[in-house]
Amino acid sequence: MLPKPLSPLDQLFLLLERRNQPMHVGGLQLLRPPADAPADFLARQVEKLREATAALPPFNLRLNRRFGNWFWVEDEAFDLEAHFRHLALPAPGRIRELLALVSQLHSAPLDRAKPLWELYVISGIEDGRFAIYAKIHHALVDGIAATRILRKSMSEDRSAELTPPWTLQRRNREREPGADLAIVGLARLIEGARTQAATIPVVTRELYRSIREARENPDFVSAFQAPRSILNQRITGSRRFAAQSYSLPRIRALLKPLHATVNDIVLAMCASALRRYLMDLEALPQKPLIAMVPLSLRRDDSDEGNQIAMILANLGTHLANPLDRLETIRGSVQDAKRRYSRLGGAAMLNYVAAVMAPAGLNIATGLAPRWQSFNVIISNVPGPKRPLYWSGASLEGMYPVSVITDGLALNITLTSYVDRLEFGIIACRRTLPRIQRLLDYLEQGLVELEEAAGELQPQPQPEAPAVKKSRRSRSQGA
Amino acid sequence: MLPKPLSPLDQLFLLLERRNQPMHVGGLQLLRPPADAPADFLARQVEKLREATAALPPFNLRLNRRFGNWFWVEDEAFDLEAHFRHLALPAPGRIRELLALVSQLHSAPLDRAKPLWELYVISGIEDGRFAIYAKIHHALVDGIAATRILRKSMSEDRSAELTPPWTLQRRNREREPGADLAIVGLARLIEGARTQAATIPVVTRELYRSIREARENPDFVSAFQAPRSILNQRITGSRRFAAQSYSLPRIRALLKPLHATVNDIVLAMCASALRRYLMDLEALPQKPLIAMVPLSLRRDDSDEGNQIAMILANLGTHLANPLDRLETIRGSVQDAKRRYSRLGGAAMLNYVAAVMAPAGLNIATGLAPRWQSFNVIISNVPGPKRPLYWSGASLEGMYPVSVITDGLALNITLTSYVDRLEFGIIACRRTLPRIQRLLDYLEQGLVELEEAAGELQPQPQPEAPAVKKSRRSRSQGA
C-alpha cells in the first residue's frame, strides 16, 4: 500500500489530541451467551478472535510522519496481541466494576506507533453476561462508522458465527455527518490549509467572519447565550463512564399526550437530570443550559443522505416545572428546524460553522472559552432495530463511549437498540463528581413526564399503537 | 522540584527504547489471602491503594525534554488512576491465564507523557490467590531497586499493613550493579558525552579500543566464541512470560555430591533446558551456547559493595551427558572467577565493557549482531530470605520479568525467596515459540542431576545440613 495522506479533518484529530484529551471513541456492548452454551463458550470465541491475526484496512494502518505531514501506512509489524485482550472483572463483577474498568480503559491514550484501535472481551460479569469494549481513534474512523463496523461483525441470525471486526471489508471511508458534524464543519473551514498551529490565524479569521455575518441574522440570537457552568471547565485525562438503558415504549407512550417527539423527551430527560445534578452541587446556572444536538431533518425512511444538522436546544434548566422545560425545549427545537428548512446546504454549513466557532476555536487553540455557545453535547445515534447476535450470544445492550474536550467536560450519547434507548455518559472524573447519579436522574426525569402526562390524560394509550406510530422517529431520535 | 537531568545511563534507556524493545522491567508476585480473611479482603486492600493518590519520587516524575535533553520533572497532573488498576483473570483463572495476561501487560510500552510505571492487582486466580504485576521504566529505576521497592512495601510481620510502593521514601537513587552491570559498563564509557545518536561514533571508537586491548589479553579467549542461534535474532514487541518455582533444598542436596555451587546447578539446569528446547526446534548450535551471568565475588555476608562481575559461562549445550555439561560450566565459571580475582576495579570494568561491547553496540546502533559474544543472559538476583506479608496475605512467589533486546530474544532471571528459586523467563513470542516448555525442561535438568548424583552417591545426605551449610551462597546464587 502506498502511504495515504490523512485528510485535514483526520489531521485535526491528531492536532487536538493531548494527554488530557485523547481523541478516540469507544463502545461498550453487553452480551448474553446462549442458554445452551458450553462452559467454554467464551473461551472458544476468544480463541477464534485470537486466530484472526490478519487485519484489513483501516485496522492495519499506522501513522507515519513524513515531510511534516501525517500519512497512513500499512503496519508491517501488525500484531493482534497488542490490540485484542481478554480481561475479567474483579469480584463481585457488578456493572459498577464493569463501568470502572471501561472508564480506565477509555482514559488511556492509544499508542501512535501502532494501528489506533483496541478491543477487549470482558468476562466475569456476575449475571453470566460478558462485554466487549472497543476503542478506535477518531482520526482512523468516526464514531458512527465505528458503531457500524461493530454492528456488522454481528448478525441478526442467531446461528451466524461472529466476524472479527478487524477483518471486515469497509464500504468506503466517506465520513457521514452526525455526531461529528461539529468538527467536520470546523475542518471544512480549514480544508486546503495545513492543519498545523500556524493555520490557526486563518481559521480564526474565517470563523470571525462567519460569526459577524451570523450576528446580522435575526434568527441567530441563541448562539452565544449559553451560561458558564462547571460542565465547561478544563478537563483532566481521567474519565468516568456511566451507562443505562431506558424503555422506548415508555417514551413513545408520552409522545401523543405531551405533543412531543422522542428527541424532545430525551432532551427533557437530560434537562431534568442535569438540573438535579447541578443543584446537588449547588452549581445550577441561573440561565438555562444550552445543548448542542445533531438532529436529522429527514422526512423519509432512506438510509442515505446528509440531511442532518446541528441545533442548539435550550434545555430550560432554570425552570422547576417539567412541562415548562419540555415546552422550552420543544420550542427551541422547532425554531431550529424551521430555520434549517429555509437554508440551503452551503448556508446551513456556514451557520453550523458559526455556531460551532467558539467551541471549535477553543478546541483548536486550547484557549479557555471566552464565549460559551453551548454547555453540553447530546447525540442520538440511530442504532439497530432488530436484535443482534454474536455467535449465538445475544446483544443485550450497546452504549456509546464518546470524546470530551477542554470546555466540554460531559458528553451524553445515546443510541436506539430494538425497544430501548441506550445512554452512554462520559465525563472528566476530576471535574464532574459522581456522574453515575445522572442515570437515576434520567429515570426521574422520565417519571416526572409520565406523571405530568398522566395528569393531562388519565387514560394513557396502550403501548402497541404508540410503537407503530412513531416508527419513523425510532431510528432518528427525532 | 527543579527539573533534574537524566544521567547518561538513564538517557541511554530512552535512546534504546523502540516499539519492539520497550525498556521497562517488571515483577510478578503471587499472594495468598489470610485463612480468616473476609470475602472483601482484596477489595478493601485495593480501596486502600486507590486512596493513596499522592506519589513520592520517583513515582511522581515524568519526562520533559528541554534544550535537546531529557529531564525529570514533577508531574503536576499525576493521577493514580492512570497507574494502578485492578483486573481479574478470565476463567478458568489458571496460572496459564495469569502468565498470558502478564505477557500482554509487559509487551505494552509505558506512556512517556506520564510517570513511567504501572501496578496491577490481579484477582480471579482459581486457587484463591491473587497477583501483583508491576512494571517500571529502566530509566526511572533499575531492576534491583524496583525489586527492593516492592519488597519494602511488604513486611516480615504478618500483622503489618501494606504500604503502597509509590508512597515509599527511597533511600537514594544510586544504582547498584548486578543484573544491569552490562549496560552500566556501556554507559560509563559514554559518560560525559551526550547520549544522542550523534555520539554513537564516540561510543564505537571507545568500544573498539577496549576490544583491541582485550584481545591482546590471553585470558580473553572466550569473548567472541558464542555461536549464532535462534536466541539471537531481532525481536518483535510481543512477549511471552513463563515462571516457576524450584526447590532450593533439592538444589542444595546436590552441592556436595557434585562439588558444585548453587549457581553451577542453576546454569546446568538452564543448559539442559535450552539444549532440549533447541533440539525440539532442530536449532541446537554445534558449538556450546554462552551465557552472560552477573556473579557475586563477595566472600562475606555484607550487604554492601560492588563486588559483582559479569562472567561468560560456557553452557556445554553440545554435550549430551549432564555431568559433562556441569563440568564444562563449573570450569568456565571457576576460570572467570580466578581471572576476576586478579583484576582491580578499573581493569574489571574495562574487561566487562569489552566483553559487553558487541552486545552493547548492537543495542545502541540497532545493527544486527556481527559478533555474538553470548547467547543469553541468566541473572540470579538475591531475594528475601524470610517470608513476606502484605496486610496478612503471604507472598508465595515472586518472579522477575526482565527486558529483552534485538539479538537477545530470551532472558532468564531468577531470584531466591525463602527456600525456593523463582525463575522468570521472558522472550519474544514471535521469535521463540512455546518458551513455557523451558519450565518443564528446567525441572528435567534438575532431575537429571539428581539421578547423576544418586549414581555417584547412593545415600543422599539429609536436607537439613545441606541447607545450613550453603547458607552463604543462598542469597548470592553463587
Side-chain angles (χ1 to χ4, degrees):
Chain A
M1 190 191 108
L2 287 172
K4 181 183 167 183
L6 270 72
S7 74
L9 174 59
D10 292 339
Q11 297 215 22
L12 184 62
F13 285 115
L14 297 179
L15 177 68
L16 297 184
E17 188 161 64
R18 295 200 193 82
R19 170 181 170 179
N20 69 330
Q21 188 169 288
M23 281 287 160
H24 53 257
V25 292
L28 174 66
Q29 303 182 300
L30 266 174
L31 296 111
R32 186 176 299 281
D36 57 350
D40 65 348
F41 169 79
L42 192 57
R44 277 199 222 168
Q45 299 304 323
V46 166
E47 207 42 57
K48 245 186 282 179
L49 290 168
R50 286 225 170 95
E51 284 164 8
T53 52
L56 287 178
F59 296 99
N60 65 345
L61 302 182
R62 67 172 173 83
L63 288 170
N64 188 19
R65 200 170 166 85
R66 298 184 191 186
F67 320 117
N69 282 307
W70 289 105
F71 291 82
W72 293 119
V73 295
E74 192 175 327
D75 182 13
E76 304 288 350
F78 176 81
D79 186 347
L80 186 61
E81 284 268 303
H83 302 273
F84 171 60
R85 287 187 189 170
H86 184 192
L87 298 177
L89 293 184
R94 295 163 300 185
I95 294 299
R96 177 180 166 176
E97 278 78 28
L98 177 64
L99 296 177
L101 177 60
V102 169
S103 299
Q104 278 199 320
L105 296 176
H106 200 69
S107 300
L110 289 159
D111 179 359
R112 286 197 183 183
K114 296 173 187 167
L116 292 166
W117 64 276
E118 291 172 1
L119 188 141
Y120 297 80
V121 167
I122 303 168
S123 52
I125 304 176
E126 58 180 351
D127 60 10
R129 289 185 293 181
F130 65 96
I132 298 174
Y133 163 72
K135 65 198 266 192
I136 188 161
H137 201 281
H138 226 316
L140 197 62
V141 66
D142 64 67
I144 290 180
T147 310
R148 195 193 312 121
I149 290 167
L150 264 183
R151 198 191 308 168
K152 279 173 76 180
S153 78
M154 307 202 179
S155 171
E156 292 183 5
D157 176 1
R158 194 189 281 265
S159 64
E161 290 289 291
L162 84 120
T163 312
W166 53 91
T167 65
L168 282 170
Q169 201 80 47
R170 289 194 66 200
R171 229 170 32 186
N172 57 51
R173 288 203 72 238
E174 196 188 337
R175 283 181 181 274
E176 299 191 9
D180 302 325
L181 190 60
I183 300 174
V184 174
L186 181 65
R188 293 225 182 135
L189 284 176
I190 56 175
E191 196 125 23
R194 299 283 169 227
T195 58
Q196 306 307 324
T199 68
I200 297 298
V202 178
V203 182
T204 311
R205 197 168 55 237
E206 284 297 309
L207 292 173
Y208 270 92
R209 195 162 52 79
S210 302
I211 293 162
R212 208 171 47 238
E213 287 171 7
R215 277 183 168 157
E216 290 158 11
N217 179 340
D219 286 333
F220 200 71
V221 287
S222 64
F224 305 105
Q225 287 183 349
R228 300 274 182 113
S229 87
I230 63 164
L231 307 179
N232 308 106
Q233 303 173 74
R234 293 215 174 203
I235 59 170
T236 75
S238 182
R239 298 286 169 273
R240 187 60 89 214
F241 179 61
Q244 195 147 302
S245 302
Y246 300 87
S247 155
L248 255 177
R250 272 180 72 193
I251 290 170
R252 288 202 186 102
L254 297 173
L255 303 189
K256 192 164 179 183
L258 297 180
H259 307 287
T261 65
V262 170
N263 195 59
D264 294 338
I265 303 291
V266 163
L267 292 177
M269 286 167 67
C270 292
S272 173
L274 287 169
R275 178 179 154 88
R276 274 207 175 77
Y277 175 79
L278 293 172
M279 283 174 72
D280 282 351
L281 299 172
E282 299 181 350
L284 180 68
Q286 290 193 323
K287 287 174 64 183
L289 293 179
I290 307 295
M292 190 183 77
V293 185
L295 191 74
S296 169
L297 298 176
R298 239 175 290 175
R299 300 198 188 278
D300 57 21
D301 277 343
S302 71
D303 240 19
E304 304 298 323
N306 290 343
Q307 297 301 312
I308 295 178
M310 296 288 170
I311 65 161
L312 294 182
N314 182 331
L315 293 182
T317 45
H318 59 310
L319 303 168
N321 184 306
L323 289 183
D324 291 347
R325 281 199 300 272
L326 180 64
E327 188 51 43
T328 301
I329 290 165
R330 190 171 44 199
S332 72
V333 170
Q334 283 177 351
D335 277 359
K337 281 186 180 175
R338 268 197 297 274
R339 202 151 57 227
Y340 277 121
S341 66
R342 290 200 311 267
L343 292 173
M348 190 182 95
L349 189 65
N350 280 338
Y351 179 79
V352 168
V355 168
M356 279 300 301
L361 202 59
N362 293 336
I363 290 174
T365 61
L367 298 174
R370 290 190 52 192
W371 322 278
Q372 194 71 45
S373 59
F374 54 90
N375 302 100
V376 60
I377 297 176
I378 302 176
S379 301
N380 186 348
V381 182
K385 296 176 190 179
R386 296 173 59 179
L388 291 178
Y389 298 91
W390 192 82
S391 289
S394 62
L395 178 67
E396 295 201 343
M398 47 184 297
Y399 308 95
V401 194
S402 193
V403 177
I404 60 171
T405 58
D406 275 333
L408 290 168
L410 174 71
N411 174 297
I412 301 177
T413 299
L414 54 141
T415 191
S416 52
Y417 176 52
V418 194
D419 61 351
R420 291 190 306 279
L421 283 181
E422 315 274 82
F423 279 66
I425 300 176
I426 187 88
C428 170
R429 178 167 165 268
R430 306 269 166 232
T431 313
L432 299 176
R434 288 183 295 282
I435 56 143
Q436 66 277 13
R437 288 186 183 181
L438 284 171
L439 300 177
D440 287 339
Y441 294 169
L442 283 167
E443 169 67 22
Q444 290 181 34
L446 182 54
V447 168
E448 275 174 5
L449 292 173
E450 287 173 327
E451 288 170 356
E455 286 163 22
L456 295 177
Q457 186 180 0
Q459 301 286 327
Q461 290 197 322
E463 269 189 10
V467 172
K468 196 174 175 189
K469 191 172 178 183
S470 56
R471 176 165 295 278
R472 192 174 36 196
S473 70
R474 195 179 194 178
S475 65
Q476 305 305 336
Chain B
M1 189 192 107
L2 288 172
K4 182 181 167 185
L6 271 72
S7 75
L9 174 58
D10 293 338
Q11 297 215 21
L12 185 62
F13 286 114
L14 296 180
L15 178 66
L16 297 183
E17 189 160 64
R18 294 197 195 84
R19 170 181 170 180
N20 69 331
Q21 187 169 288
M23 282 287 160
H24 53 258
V25 292
L28 174 66
Q29 303 183 300
L30 266 174
L31 295 112
R32 185 176 299 282
D36 57 350
D40 65 348
F41 169 78
L42 192 57
R44 275 198 224 169
Q45 299 303 323
V46 166
E47 208 40 57
K48 244 186 281 179
L49 289 168
R50 286 225 170 97
E51 283 163 9
T53 53
L56 288 178
F59 297 99
N60 64 346
L61 302 182
R62 66 172 174 83
L63 288 170
N64 189 19
R65 200 170 167 85
R66 298 185 191 186
F67 321 117
N69 282 306
W70 289 105
F71 292 82
W72 292 120
V73 296
E74 193 175 327
D75 181 13
E76 304 289 350
F78 176 81
D79 185 349
L80 186 61
E81 284 268 304
H83 301 272
F84 170 61
R85 287 186 189 172
H86 183 194
L87 298 178
L89 292 183
R94 296 163 300 186
I95 295 299
R96 177 179 166 177
E97 277 79 28
L98 176 64
L99 296 177
L101 177 59
V102 169
S103 299
Q104 278 199 321
L105 295 175
H106 200 69
S107 300
L110 289 159
D111 179 358
R112 286 197 182 181
K114 297 173 186 166
L116 292 165
W117 65 276
E118 292 172 0
L119 189 141
Y120 296 81
V121 167
I122 302 168
S123 51
I125 305 177
E126 56 180 352
D127 60 9
R129 290 186 291 182
F130 64 97
I132 298 174
Y133 163 72
K135 65 199 266 192
I136 188 161
H137 201 282
H138 226 315
L140 196 63
V141 66
D142 64 67
I144 290 181
T147 310
R148 195 193 313 120
I149 290 168
L150 263 184
R151 197 191 310 166
K152 279 172 76 179
S153 78
M154 307 203 180
S155 171
E156 292 183 6
D157 176 0
R158 194 188 284 265
S159 63
E161 289 289 294
L162 84 120
T163 314
W166 54 88
T167 65
L168 282 170
Q169 202 80 48
R170 290 194 66 196
R171 231 171 29 188
N172 56 50
R173 287 203 72 238
E174 196 187 339
R175 284 181 180 272
E176 301 193 6
D180 302 325
L181 190 60
I183 299 173
V184 174
L186 180 65
R188 294 228 180 131
L189 285 176
I190 55 177
E191 196 122 25
R194 297 286 170 223
T195 58
Q196 305 307 323
T199 68
I200 297 297
V202 179
V203 182
T204 312
R205 197 167 57 237
E206 284 298 310
L207 292 174
Y208 270 92
R209 197 163 53 77
S210 302
I211 293 162
R212 210 170 46 238
E213 286 170 7
R215 278 183 168 156
E216 290 158 12
N217 179 339
D219 288 332
F220 200 70
V221 287
S222 65
F224 304 106
Q225 286 182 349
R228 300 275 181 112
S229 86
I230 63 164
L231 306 180
N232 309 108
Q233 303 172 74
R234 292 213 174 202
I235 59 170
T236 75
S238 181
R239 298 287 170 273
R240 187 60 89 213
F241 179 61
Q244 195 147 304
S245 302
Y246 301 87
S247 154
L248 254 178
R250 273 179 73 193
I251 290 169
R252 288 203 187 102
L254 297 172
L255 303 187
K256 192 162 181 184
L258 297 179
H259 307 288
T261 65
V262 169
N263 195 58
D264 295 337
I265 303 290
V266 163
L267 292 178
M269 288 168 65
C270 292
S272 174
L274 287 170
R275 178 179 155 87
R276 274 205 175 78
Y277 175 78
L278 292 173
M279 283 175 73
D280 284 352
L281 299 171
E282 299 183 349
L284 181 68
Q286 289 193 323
K287 287 175 65 183
L289 293 179
I290 307 295
M292 189 183 79
V293 185
L295 191 74
S296 171
L297 297 175
R298 242 174 285 173
R299 301 198 187 280
D300 59 20
D301 278 343
S302 71
D303 239 18
E304 303 298 324
N306 291 344
Q307 297 301 309
I308 295 179
M310 295 288 168
I311 65 159
L312 294 182
N314 182 331
L315 293 181
T317 45
H318 59 311
L319 302 168
N321 184 305
L323 289 183
D324 291 347
R325 282 200 298 272
L326 180 62
E327 188 51 42
T328 302
I329 290 164
R330 190 170 44 199
S332 73
V333 170
Q334 282 177 351
D335 277 0
K337 281 187 179 174
R338 269 197 297 274
R339 202 150 60 226
Y340 276 121
S341 67
R342 291 201 312 268
L343 293 173
M348 189 183 95
L349 190 63
N350 281 339
Y351 180 80
V352 167
V355 168
M356 278 301 302
L361 201 57
N362 293 336
I363 289 173
T365 61
L367 299 174
R370 290 190 51 190
W371 321 282
Q372 194 69 46
S373 59
F374 54 89
N375 303 100
V376 60
I377 298 176
I378 302 176
S379 301
N380 187 348
V381 183
K385 297 175 190 178
R386 296 173 59 178
L388 292 178
Y389 299 91
W390 191 81
S391 290
S394 62
L395 179 66
E396 296 200 343
M398 47 183 297
Y399 308 95
V401 194
S402 194
V403 178
I404 59 172
T405 58
D406 275 333
L408 291 169
L410 175 72
N411 175 296
I412 301 177
T413 299
L414 53 142
T415 190
S416 52
Y417 176 53
V418 194
D419 61 351
R420 291 189 307 278
L421 283 182
E422 315 274 81
F423 279 65
I425 300 177
I426 187 89
C428 170
R429 178 168 165 267
R430 306 268 165 230
T431 314
L432 299 176
R434 288 181 295 279
I435 56 145
Q436 66 276 16
R437 289 186 182 181
L438 284 170
L439 300 177
D440 287 340
Y441 294 169
L442 283 166
E443 170 67 21
Q444 290 181 34
L446 183 53
V447 168
E448 275 174 4
L449 292 172
E450 286 174 327
E451 287 169 356
E455 284 162 22
L456 295 176
Q457 185 179 359
Q459 302 286 325
Q461 290 199 322
E463 270 190 6
V467 172
K468 196 173 174 188
K469 193 172 177 184
S470 56
R471 174 164 296 278
R472 191 174 34 194
S473 69
R474 193 180 195 177
S475 66
Q476 305 305 335

